[in-house]
Amino acid sequence: QLQLVESGGGLVQAGGSLRLSCRTSRYTLDTYTMAWFRQAPGKEREGVSSISTYADFTKYSDSVKGRFTISRDKAKNTVYLQMNSLRPEDTAVYYCAADLFGDEKLNDGRWTQTNQYDYWGQGIQVTVSS
């Protein structure tokens, strides 16, 4: 059972930055396509960004493109989401997700679908004040 643990959330003013981390201690993430999702109160969970197993492909939702950057460090078994120029509408619970050998879904759009992922983190709150 892959256990994903998110960290780095918190409260930040609009225009500020945060870096979220997602790590697992017991197993390698090398064979997993990784993604970040978020869910705001009263809204559905939405795909924010995804990264391929070899970090050679990334995808972003239109709402975060140019502001957020996803990356992964295999040596640390960790995936990151650098969030810059944060806006109040970025306020949500952010989730890390893992999809075993899911790289092809980066090309056909399925990376945004929650039912494509095998494991999820518990979520972490990000609040952006205006």
Side-chain angles (χ1 to χ4, degrees):
Q1 185 79 7
L2 190 65
Q3 290 185 321
L4 303 174
V5 179
E6 300 103 338
S7 62
L11 173 65
V12 65
Q13 288 188 333
S17 298
L18 284 174
R19 188 177 78 159
L20 303 183
S21 299
C22 170
R23 64 176 178 83
T24 182
S25 58
R26 295 184 60 190
Y27 302 99
T28 178
L29 293 178
D30 288 0
T31 55
Y32 289 89
T33 304
M34 300 298 298
W36 288 95
F37 282 73
R38 68 185 181 186
Q39 188 167 18
K43 295 188 177 181
E44 292 188 355
R45 193 170 298 189
E46 65 169 344
V48 174
S49 183
S50 183
I51 188 167
S52 61
T53 53
Y54 287 98
D56 46 356
F57 290 105
T58 57
K59 289 289 187 181
Y60 298 93
S61 66
D62 288 343
S63 60
V64 307
K65 201 172 295 181
R67 300 187 296 121
F68 291 11
T69 303
I70 192 171
S71 61
R72 63 193 304 165
D73 185 330
K74 291 198 171 186
K76 295 183 178 179
N77 227 16
T78 301
V79 177
Y80 302 99
L81 185 68
Q82 178 67 44
M83 306 186 294
N84 298 329
S85 302
L86 283 161
R87 304 167 180 169
E89 54 264 39
D90 295 317
T91 296
V93 177
Y94 283 71
Y95 297 88
C96 175
D99 178 15
L100 185 63
F101 295 120
D103 284 0
E104 75 279 3
K105 297 170 190 175
L106 286 164
N107 295 321
D108 61 21
R110 285 181 291 160
W111 73 269
T112 63
Q113 299 172 11
T114 57
N115 61 3
Q116 299 295 321
Y117 291 86
D118 304 298
Y119 299 101
W120 291 85
Q122 80 285 356
I124 192 163
Q125 179 70 44
V126 170
T127 302
V128 184
S129 63
S130 58

